[in-house]
Amino acid sequence: MATLIRPDGELHYEVYGEGFPVLLFAPGGLRSRIAMWPSPVDGPPRPWVDWTQALPQAGFTAIAMDQRNAGDSRAAIRADHGWHTYAEDHLALMDHLGFHRFHVLGGCIGGSFCLKAIEAAPRRVTAAVLQNPIGLNPAHPDYFPNSHADWSREQLAARPELDAAALAAFGRAMWDHDFVFSVDRAFVRNCPVPTMLLPGTDIPHPAVISAELAALLSGVEVVTDWRGPECLEQQEQRVVAFLKGSTPL
């Protein structure tokens, strides 16, 4: 596993294959890490394709990473951190690898990372796949703040030197928003890149949020039946075809 040194820590990442680059944002909320892509050896199969394998086989370079303070990545957590902090990490990684333009594909929290990356660098991101995107569930508005509190307790237990007040402020910067948390509806309505949506259906990945994304994103391609072992072949074919069709000549 390779390491990118950041001003406040280090990020671990892996590069697979050769071809046009696709930056992957794994599921897992703030625990988003490379290990979330493949199915565990001793656990049930993932309901999604392992894009670290499928994309290289299709002729792409796949870049997967442990997000800051997930997996093997460690960095500071400050009160003024937020979605922009992750976007800065993502762009720094692509700069480090020498990729000026690239696609993004994100599961769970990765959908919000994708949209933030487009907002931060609209001339660099060439297409986005939003797989099972998170968002504010009107029936469960405390889900992400409560999850953040659990994550913060884990962080403090592992790193007692962290500032609990900074962790709480970071949580507010991340989750005290509506919709998909990282960007607003006006941005999504005017999103400048081609998009594909694999809708969510549960509490952290609300169907209502995916329905709104489908309504707002101009020209979005929606793959309704994508989840589960019986859909993996179709999921892979549709996503690969979309990314190939969106790749600059």
Side-chain angles (χ1 to χ4, degrees):
M1 189 175 292
T3 301
L4 171 66
I5 302 301
R6 297 288 286 137
D8 64 348
E10 59 181 40
L11 305 177
H12 290 261
Y13 67 93
E14 292 281 3
V15 178
Y16 309 84
E18 295 181 358
F20 192 81
V22 184
L23 178 56
L24 301 176
F25 305 130
L30 295 182
R31 303 174 184 85
S32 168
R33 59 201 184 278
I34 298 169
M36 291 299 294
W37 288 120
S39 296
V41 175
D42 56 351
R46 305 285 195 207
W48 51 75
V49 171
D50 178 0
W51 297 114
T52 67
Q53 300 300 311
L55 290 177
Q57 291 170 7
F60 292 96
T61 296
I63 302 99
M65 62 186 298
D66 291 346
Q67 298 298 330
R68 57 171 47 227
N69 302 308
D72 291 324
S73 295
R74 291 292 177 271
I77 305 172
R78 299 203 311 261
D80 60 349
H81 284 175
W83 293 101
H84 64 284
T85 312
Y86 288 97
E88 290 165 1
D89 287 344
H90 303 152
L91 295 176
L93 176 57
M94 299 310 274
D95 288 343
H96 172 71
L97 294 173
F99 295 129
H100 179 66
R101 304 187 75 196
F102 52 93
H103 299 322
V104 290
L105 184 158
C108 180
I109 195 173
S112 293
F113 286 152
C114 286
L115 293 168
K116 193 66 178 179
I118 299 168
E119 184 185 59
R123 295 180 181 274
R124 298 186 64 180
V125 179
T126 44
V129 177
L130 314 178
Q131 174 185 295
N132 214 25
I134 64 169
L136 180 66
N137 190 324
H140 303 273
D142 294 331
Y143 178 86
F144 282 101
N146 289 342
S147 295
H148 187 90
D150 291 340
W151 176 83
S152 296
R153 284 190 285 272
E154 291 176 8
Q155 293 294 316
L156 283 167
R159 301 164 63 189
E161 73 279 5
L162 290 174
D163 182 346
L167 280 162
F170 167 58
R172 292 189 293 272
M174 292 291 288
W175 311 117
D176 281 3
H177 310 281
D178 65 355
F179 193 37
V180 296
F181 304 116
S182 64
V183 298
D184 61 22
R185 292 174 175 84
F187 174 76
V188 169
R189 188 178 293 111
N190 296 289
C191 182
V193 306
T195 53
M196 171 175 272
L197 173 65
L198 284 61
T201 58
D202 58 14
I203 291 174
H205 320 96
V208 64
I209 292 297
S210 286
E212 196 168 2
L213 284 166
L216 290 173
L217 287 164
S218 177
V220 65
E221 184 174 341
V222 181
V223 183
T224 303
D225 297 321
W226 66 270
R227 184 182 287 96
E230 70 280 6
C231 297
L232 291 182
E233 183 176 355
Q234 174 183 251
Q235 181 190 144
E236 181 175 342
Q237 290 175 350
R238 292 284 300 274
V239 169
V240 166
F242 168 75
L243 292 175
K244 286 188 173 181
S246 303
T247 299
L249 298 176

